[in-house]
Amino acid sequence: MKQIKLSIEEVCKVFNGSQGTVEALQSTSFKVSPGEFVTILGPSGCGKSTILRVVAGLVNPSSGEVLMDGQKIIGPGPDRGMVFQSYTLFPWLTVQENIEFGLNLSGVPAKQKKDTARQYLQLIGLTGFENNYPVNLSGGMKQRVAIARALANNPEVLLMDEPFGALDAQTRTIMQELLLKVWEATKKTILFVTHDVEEAIFLGDNIYIMTARPGKIKEVISVDIPRPRSYEVKELPEFLAIKHRVLQLIREESIKAAEVSDILGLPVVAGH
């Protein structure tokens, strides 16, 4: 019987605001196996980031539930780590101190903290930068530190919300390859939200395509491309075939979102 790490079951989310209610997610369900790398794609405003926040325990679903190892998620926990698009580093802490931050909260002994931080500094390729402050780092280096900080707490699930979205194309490619290296070394379960179709295919075992808002799963596409992967796989016929299919699905939903906005006389809402 296939093991399940995460089970998202009929999750709906409605946000109430001064201008009324917005249904972000509608009856969204899927299951994630241990060690699986899931990428999530969809038009702007379809609820991609909302899914991550519900799994993280930062947002409560309006209905439905999320189970991790069969237990209902009712709030944040150290078993789930989150990496955002913004680097969210503490500017007054060094690289090593940023990585150790969560370990401080957990009361980890000093030597173990230091050893853990250095282990992840080596894994992300930043050995020698442990005493630098974030202001002296490039965008890619800052995001490496953010990933290391999340991993240092040894979460079972890593949630990544467009972590490379603010990077230039060349740095983004380097970070994609680095993330695969880290994933292959740690075998963490990863949920990764992105707007980049090639990124979703390159990284993922499975791609979850979402509908326009209110978001739900439109289709699941399996990425049957052997691992380990290098940048060259983006030229393979099977990669290009998946890319064509994904773009077609996203385009269908983007057109629907635009049509709904035209009917209601509203702008297309950017967001997740």
Side-chain angles (χ1 to χ4, degrees):
M1 185 175 178
K2 186 177 179 181
Q3 278 189 294
I4 302 298
K5 171 58 71 174
L6 286 172
S7 182
I8 290 83
E9 300 184 355
E10 299 295 325
V11 167
C12 299
K13 180 60 186 177
V14 176
F15 291 100
N16 297 307
S18 58
Q19 297 182 348
T21 61
V22 174
E23 187 178 16
L25 290 175
Q26 182 182 77
S27 190
T28 299
S29 300
F30 60 91
K31 299 182 187 300
V32 182
S33 300
E36 185 177 351
F37 199 131
V38 168
T39 53
I40 304 174
L41 278 170
S44 292
C46 72
K48 300 186 294 296
S49 293
T50 300
I51 288 178
L52 288 195
R53 283 163 171 73
V54 170
V55 174
L58 301 174
V59 171
N60 293 321
S62 301
S63 62
E65 61 183 8
V66 179
L67 306 177
M68 182 167 170
D69 294 324
Q71 301 297 312
K72 184 176 179 180
I73 289 174
I74 57 174
D79 52 0
R80 285 149 286 141
M82 190 96 175
V83 180
F84 299 91
Q85 180 174 342
S86 56
Y87 311 120
T88 62
L89 301 181
F90 300 112
W92 59 89
L93 299 180
T94 64
V95 165
Q96 180 157 332
E97 289 167 343
N98 265 284
I99 295 172
E100 292 177 352
F101 182 78
L103 301 175
N104 288 329
L105 298 179
S106 302
V108 174
K111 184 178 185 305
Q112 185 179 339
K113 278 191 305 183
K114 188 174 182 179
D115 290 345
T116 299
R118 291 193 171 177
Q119 172 192 346
Y120 284 105
L121 278 165
Q122 183 176 8
L123 185 61
I124 63 170
L126 285 182
T127 299
F129 289 88
E130 50 265 56
N131 295 319
N132 286 53
Y133 287 90
V135 68
N136 298 317
L137 304 179
S138 68
M141 294 168 78
K142 289 176 184 176
Q143 201 58 297
R144 290 184 190 211
V145 177
I147 292 169
R149 184 176 61 185
L151 289 171
N153 295 312
N154 196 27
E156 297 175 46
V157 175
L158 190 59
L159 307 168
M160 309 189 78
D161 192 1
E162 295 200 68
F164 310 145
L167 303 178
D168 63 82
Q170 183 177 359
T171 304
R172 187 169 189 149
T173 298
I174 292 169
M175 291 300 297
Q176 290 167 2
E177 292 179 319
L178 173 74
L179 179 59
L180 283 186
K181 174 187 170 185
V182 169
W183 175 74
E184 285 159 5
T186 62
K187 291 302 180 187
K188 298 294 183 187
T189 305
I190 296 180
L191 268 65
F192 187 104
V193 162
T194 179
H195 272 102
D196 189 304
V197 172
E198 286 194 356
E199 182 170 78
I201 303 168
F202 181 61
L203 296 175
D205 294 314
N206 291 294
I207 305 170
Y208 287 78
I209 310 293
M210 295 186 67
T211 65
R213 194 178 69 207
K216 57 182 181 293
I217 304 302
K218 177 183 179 76
E219 189 166 323
V220 180
I221 296 178
S222 179
V223 183
D224 294 321
I225 297 174
R227 296 185 186 273
R229 296 174 188 163
S230 63
Y231 188 76
E232 288 74 19
V233 303
K234 296 183 180 183
E235 303 301 323
L236 294 176
E238 52 265 50
F239 187 100
L240 296 174
I242 295 171
K243 180 179 177 181
H244 176 77
R245 176 60 179 154
V246 170
L247 286 171
Q248 181 183 40
L249 293 167
I250 297 292
R251 183 173 183 274
E252 290 172 1
E253 293 306 313
S254 296
I255 289 171
K256 286 181 186 176
E259 289 174 345
V260 169
S261 295
D262 286 345
I263 291 169
L264 298 177
L266 298 172
V268 178
V269 178
H272 310 305

